[in-house]
Amino acid sequence: MADENITYGSYLRLDELLDCQRPRTDAHDEMLFVIIHQVYELWFKQILHEAGLLQRRLAEGGSAGALRTARRITKILKTIVGQMDVLETMTPRQFATFRDELGTSSGFQSAQFRELEAVLGRRVFPASDLRDDARLRAAVRRPSLLDSLLRYLAVQGYAVPHAALERNVAEPWLPDPDLQKVLLEVYADENGPAAEVCEALVDIDEGVQEWRYRHVKMVERTIGAKLGTGGSAGADYLRSTLFAPAFPDLWEVRSQIEETVVHGA
């Protein structure tokens, strides 16, 4: 039986939630900065929650469920990219009114985003990150989203290379021509569920890259070429992460599809 004493506020624990915004200065714009970043962390939590379900559904070979979950993740990524529009209403001078109070804190310290990167396949992190973050250590030892896709394709009857299925998932993935041949077979049936699932993962990959790009431009608008808070490399570091796809084979195979179609014609 439902608890009749539960209210909107108590169910969402709004007293606690709304008490979490504690700016360190009287600067008007610091509240916006705090709320935007707290909301990012809430969305990262949801993305990780959905990614776990997506991996389970892929491993089970469930096309419809995997598609629904992947599309939800993409919608969330679109939402957090859109939040940049709000943050960019803050001018560099307005940010400067409270920036010194951030001390050594930096967005690069987001443990959840590091974990998301690990889910997407990143395996190389600073030793200090791995030492201090048990969740990240566990994430880099688990199968990545790409590994889950390989299992899905195998369940669907595609001849995924045995070496790919049995690889050490704690090692970084390197583009694999043999896997790309399998993906060519997948995309040959462009209306089939496997091709749709692959495209849904490309959407996620593109969404993460879009967020990185908007993050770069936001940092450049706010602090220019200066070091980021906490001594981070600011925009220079962010630029180095651009155009580094989580699923390189899904991008590489596109040029091969075109060549195959032309040759077949």
Side-chain angles (χ1 to χ4, degrees), residues 45-59:
K45 182 175 184 177
Q46 187 64 33
I47 291 173
L48 288 168
H49 184 60
E50 300 293 345
L53 177 60
L54 175 56
Q55 289 196 266
R56 292 192 296 275
R57 286 177 164 172
L58 287 171

Side-chain angles (χ1 to χ4, degrees), residues 134-148:
R135 286 179 61 104
L136 183 61
R137 288 199 304 274
V140 298
R141 294 169 184 157
R142 290 196 303 267
S144 70
L145 195 47
L146 177 63
D147 293 307
S148 299

Side-chain angles (χ1 to χ4, degrees), residues 77 113 120 203-213:
L77 289 167
F113 191 73
L120 291 169
D203 288 338
I204 291 174
D205 203 348
E206 186 173 356
V208 173
Q209 292 184 58
E210 184 181 5
W211 185 83
R212 290 185 188 279
Y213 173 76

Side-chain angles (χ1 to χ4, degrees), residues 152-194:
Y152 165 80
L153 293 175
V155 171
Q156 293 296 313
Y158 290 96
V160 179
H162 179 76
L165 291 172
E166 300 303 323
R167 78 184 194 91
N168 180 358
V169 298
E171 294 295 325
W173 172 264
L174 298 176
D176 184 352
D178 290 332
L179 174 60
Q180 290 163 25
K181 292 176 184 177
V182 174
L183 293 174
L184 283 173
E185 295 180 32
V186 171
Y187 278 104
D189 181 12
E190 62 180 359
N191 295 317

Side-chain angles (χ1 to χ4, degrees), residues 62-174:
S63 301
L67 274 172
R68 286 195 300 271
T69 306
R71 287 169 177 165
R72 177 179 289 179
I73 292 172
T74 299
K75 292 290 187 182
I76 295 172
L77 289 167
K78 291 290 185 185
T79 297
I80 67 174
V81 167
Q83 286 180 194
M84 291 291 181
D85 293 338
V86 182
L87 197 55
E88 287 181 348
T89 64
M90 183 173 59
T91 68
R93 184 175 292 277
Q94 289 167 338
F95 181 53
T97 61
F98 62 86
R99 186 186 183 212
D100 286 347
E101 291 299 317
L102 301 181
T104 60
S105 67
S106 168
F108 297 109
Q109 297 166 352
S110 171
Q112 289 195 117
F113 191 73
R114 285 197 303 265
E115 185 178 351
L116 176 57
E117 288 184 307
V119 169
L120 291 169
R122 181 180 172 186
R123 289 295 180 263
V124 179
F125 291 89
S128 58
D129 289 351
L130 292 169
R131 181 184 64 245
D132 299 336
D133 190 339
R135 286 179 61 104
L136 183 61
R137 288 199 304 274
V140 298
R141 294 169 184 157
R142 290 196 303 267
S144 70
L145 195 47
L146 177 63
D147 293 307
S148 299
L149 175 64
L150 299 180
R151 295 290 173 189
Y152 165 80
L153 293 175
V155 171
Q156 293 296 313
Y158 290 96
V160 179
H162 179 76
L165 291 172
E166 300 303 323
R167 78 184 194 91
N168 180 358
V169 298
E171 294 295 325
W173 172 264
L174 298 176

